[in-house]
Amino acid sequence: MTVIKNFRQIRRDGKIIEESMSLDKIISLGWGVEKVIELQWNAGDENISTFKGKYALLGEVVPNRKAVAVLNFLDEKCLNSSLSILDINGKEKIRIENEIFIQGERREGKFSWFSKPKNVLPSIIGVVFELSSDHSMYLIDIDTDTGGFVGEPQIQK
Protein backbone atom coordinates (compact mmCIF):
# COMPACT_ATOMS: atom_id res chain seq x y z
CA MET A 1 0.00 0.00 0.00
CA THR A 2 1.37 3.41 -1.02
CA VAL A 3 1.37 6.01 1.75
CA ILE A 4 2.60 9.56 2.20
CA LYS A 5 6.17 9.83 3.43
CA ASN A 6 8.57 12.72 4.12
CA PHE A 7 5.88 15.40 4.48
CA ARG A 8 7.43 18.87 4.73
CA GLN A 9 6.29 22.46 4.66
CA ILE A 10 8.36 25.10 2.88
CA ARG A 11 8.25 28.59 4.30
CA ARG A 12 8.39 31.80 2.26
CA ASP A 13 12.01 32.28 3.41
CA GLY A 14 12.92 28.83 2.01
CA LYS A 15 13.33 27.10 5.38
CA ILE A 16 11.85 23.61 5.51
CA ILE A 17 9.70 22.36 8.37
CA GLU A 18 9.93 18.57 8.51
CA GLU A 19 6.86 16.69 9.77
CA SER A 20 8.71 15.56 12.90
CA MET A 21 9.71 19.10 13.95
CA SER A 22 7.97 20.48 17.02
CA LEU A 23 7.28 24.15 17.66
CA ASP A 24 9.93 24.03 20.39
CA LYS A 25 12.47 22.78 17.84
CA ILE A 26 11.60 25.57 15.40
CA ILE A 27 11.98 28.16 18.18
CA SER A 28 15.30 26.63 19.30
CA LEU A 29 16.61 27.11 15.75
CA GLY A 30 15.91 30.82 16.11
CA TRP A 31 13.49 30.92 13.22
CA GLY A 32 11.15 33.89 13.20
CA VAL A 33 7.53 33.75 12.17
CA GLU A 34 7.04 33.14 8.45
CA LYS A 35 4.21 31.81 6.32
CA VAL A 36 4.29 28.40 4.68
CA ILE A 37 3.73 28.65 0.92
CA GLU A 38 4.43 25.11 -0.30
CA LEU A 39 3.78 21.53 0.83
CA GLN A 40 5.80 18.55 -0.41
CA TRP A 41 5.71 14.81 0.21
CA ASN A 42 6.64 11.51 -1.32
CA ALA A 43 3.96 9.17 -2.59
CA GLY A 44 5.56 5.96 -1.40
CA ASP A 45 9.23 5.76 -2.29
CA GLU A 46 9.00 7.42 -5.68
CA ASN A 47 7.52 10.68 -6.87
CA ILE A 48 7.32 13.97 -5.01
CA SER A 49 3.96 15.71 -4.83
CA THR A 50 3.82 19.46 -4.39
CA PHE A 51 1.04 21.90 -3.54
CA LYS A 52 1.75 25.64 -3.68
CA GLY A 53 -0.23 28.56 -2.29
CA LYS A 54 0.02 32.24 -3.12
CA TYR A 55 -0.30 33.65 0.42
CA ALA A 56 -0.14 30.95 3.09
CA LEU A 57 -0.92 27.29 3.71
CA LEU A 58 -1.53 24.97 6.61
CA GLY A 59 -1.18 21.31 5.80
CA GLU A 60 -1.72 18.11 7.72
CA VAL A 61 -1.25 14.50 6.73
CA VAL A 62 -4.41 12.48 7.40
CA PRO A 63 -3.75 9.75 10.02
CA ASN A 64 -4.09 6.94 7.44
CA ARG A 65 -1.38 8.75 5.40
CA LYS A 66 -3.44 8.47 2.19
CA ALA A 67 -4.28 12.18 1.86
CA VAL A 68 -3.26 15.68 2.90
CA ALA A 69 -5.70 18.24 4.30
CA VAL A 70 -4.85 21.80 3.22
CA LEU A 71 -6.03 25.18 4.44
CA ASN A 72 -5.18 27.57 1.62
CA PHE A 73 -5.38 31.18 2.74
CA LEU A 74 -6.62 33.36 -0.09
CA ASP A 75 -5.37 36.79 0.96
CA GLU A 76 -2.27 38.31 2.58
CA LYS A 77 -3.96 38.81 5.97
CA CYS A 78 -5.30 35.22 6.00
CA LEU A 79 -8.89 36.38 6.45
CA ASN A 80 -10.29 33.98 3.83
CA SER A 81 -9.44 30.33 3.36
CA SER A 82 -10.44 27.20 1.50
CA LEU A 83 -10.24 23.65 2.87
CA SER A 84 -9.26 20.90 0.45
CA ILE A 85 -8.39 17.25 0.74
CA LEU A 86 -5.63 16.21 -1.66
CA ASP A 87 -5.01 12.63 -2.72
CA ILE A 88 -1.61 11.01 -2.34
CA ASN A 89 -0.54 12.45 -5.72
CA GLY A 90 -1.49 16.03 -4.81
CA LYS A 91 -4.74 16.25 -6.77
CA GLU A 92 -7.72 17.86 -5.07
CA LYS A 93 -10.31 15.16 -4.38
CA ILE A 94 -12.60 17.14 -2.05
CA ARG A 95 -13.21 20.85 -1.42
CA ILE A 96 -15.25 21.74 1.64
CA GLU A 97 -17.28 24.94 1.51
CA ASN A 98 -16.91 27.70 4.11
CA GLU A 99 -20.24 27.02 5.73
CA ILE A 100 -21.54 24.66 8.38
CA PHE A 101 -24.92 23.71 9.74
CA ILE A 102 -25.48 24.30 13.45
CA GLN A 103 -28.80 23.09 14.81
CA GLY A 104 -30.14 22.95 11.26
CA GLU A 105 -29.11 26.51 10.39
CA ARG A 106 -26.55 27.30 7.68
CA ARG A 107 -23.73 29.47 9.04
CA GLU A 108 -20.92 31.06 7.04
CA GLY A 109 -17.36 31.55 8.19
CA LYS A 110 -13.89 30.15 7.55
CA PHE A 111 -11.76 27.20 8.46
CA SER A 112 -8.93 28.57 10.61
CA TRP A 113 -6.57 25.78 11.78
CA PHE A 114 -6.28 22.06 12.39
CA SER A 115 -6.91 20.58 15.82
CA LYS A 116 -7.03 17.15 17.41
CA PRO A 117 -10.28 15.47 16.32
CA LYS A 118 -12.84 14.20 18.81
CA ASN A 119 -13.22 10.98 16.81
CA VAL A 120 -9.87 9.25 16.46
CA LEU A 121 -10.21 7.25 13.24
CA PRO A 122 -7.73 6.77 10.36
CA SER A 123 -9.55 9.07 7.89
CA ILE A 124 -10.70 11.79 10.34
CA ILE A 125 -9.17 15.24 10.80
CA GLY A 126 -10.19 17.96 13.21
CA VAL A 127 -10.47 21.56 12.03
CA VAL A 128 -11.60 24.76 13.74
CA PHE A 129 -14.28 26.82 11.99
CA GLU A 130 -14.83 30.50 12.87
CA LEU A 131 -18.28 31.98 12.27
CA SER A 132 -18.37 35.27 10.36
CA SER A 133 -21.30 36.59 12.41
CA ASP A 134 -19.89 36.49 15.94
CA HIS A 135 -16.40 34.91 15.57
CA SER A 136 -17.36 31.94 17.75
CA MET A 137 -15.30 28.86 16.95
CA TYR A 138 -16.38 25.28 16.43
CA LEU A 139 -14.33 22.10 16.30
CA ILE A 140 -15.46 19.96 13.38
CA ASP A 141 -14.40 16.40 12.61
CA ILE A 142 -14.27 15.70 8.88
CA ASP A 143 -14.06 12.33 7.17
CA THR A 144 -11.44 12.86 4.46
CA ASP A 145 -12.77 9.91 2.44
CA THR A 146 -16.18 11.56 1.94
CA GLY A 147 -15.83 15.22 2.99
CA GLY A 148 -18.70 14.72 5.42
CA PHE A 149 -18.84 16.00 8.98
CA VAL A 150 -18.64 13.39 11.73
CA GLY A 151 -20.89 14.24 14.67
CA GLU A 152 -22.05 17.72 15.64
CA PRO A 153 -19.73 20.76 15.59
CA GLN A 154 -18.55 21.51 19.14
CA ILE A 155 -18.10 25.10 20.29
CA GLN A 156 -14.57 25.98 21.43
CA LYS A 157 -14.15 28.06 24.57
Side-chain angles (χ1 to χ4, degrees), residues 61-74:
V61 177
V62 175
N64 65 15
R65 305 198 70 79
K66 294 181 182 177
V68 175
V70 178
L71 280 170
N72 186 4
F73 293 95
L74 306 173

Side-chain angles (χ1 to χ4, degrees), residues 49-65:
S49 295
T50 300
F51 183 85
K52 294 182 180 182
K54 183 174 180 181
Y55 297 105
L57 301 169
L58 287 177
E60 182 168 299
V61 177
V62 175
N64 65 15
R65 305 198 70 79

Side-chain angles (χ1 to χ4, degrees), residues 56-139:
L57 301 169
L58 287 177
E60 182 168 299
V61 177
V62 175
N64 65 15
R65 305 198 70 79
K66 294 181 182 177
V68 175
V70 178
L71 280 170
N72 186 4
F73 293 95
L74 306 173
D75 56 76
E76 187 64 37
K77 294 184 179 182
C78 299
L79 298 175
N80 297 295
S81 64
S82 67
L83 174 60
S84 298
I85 309 301
L86 309 180
D87 70 15
I88 197 166
N89 296 310
K91 293 184 180 182
E92 183 178 76
K93 68 177 192 170
I94 297 170
R95 177 172 290 197
I96 300 169
E97 297 300 320
N98 284 330
E99 61 185 29
I100 62 173
F101 286 86
I102 301 171
Q103 298 173 341
E105 183 181 337
R106 188 182 82 119
R107 307 289 299 272
E108 292 185 5
K110 70 172 184 172
F111 292 99
S112 298
W113 66 84
F114 295 108
S115 185
K116 183 178 177 182
K118 300 177 301 291
N119 298 283
V120 182
L121 297 169
S123 65
I124 304 291
I125 59 163
V127 65
V128 174
F129 186 86
E130 180 182 352
L131 294 181
S132 299
S133 58
D134 63 4
H135 302 286
S136 57
M137 297 191 181
Y138 289 82
L139 175 60

Side-chain angles (χ1 to χ4, degrees), residues 137 154-157:
M137 297 191 181
Q154 300 294 313
I155 194 158
Q156 297 293 282
K157 297 180 182 184

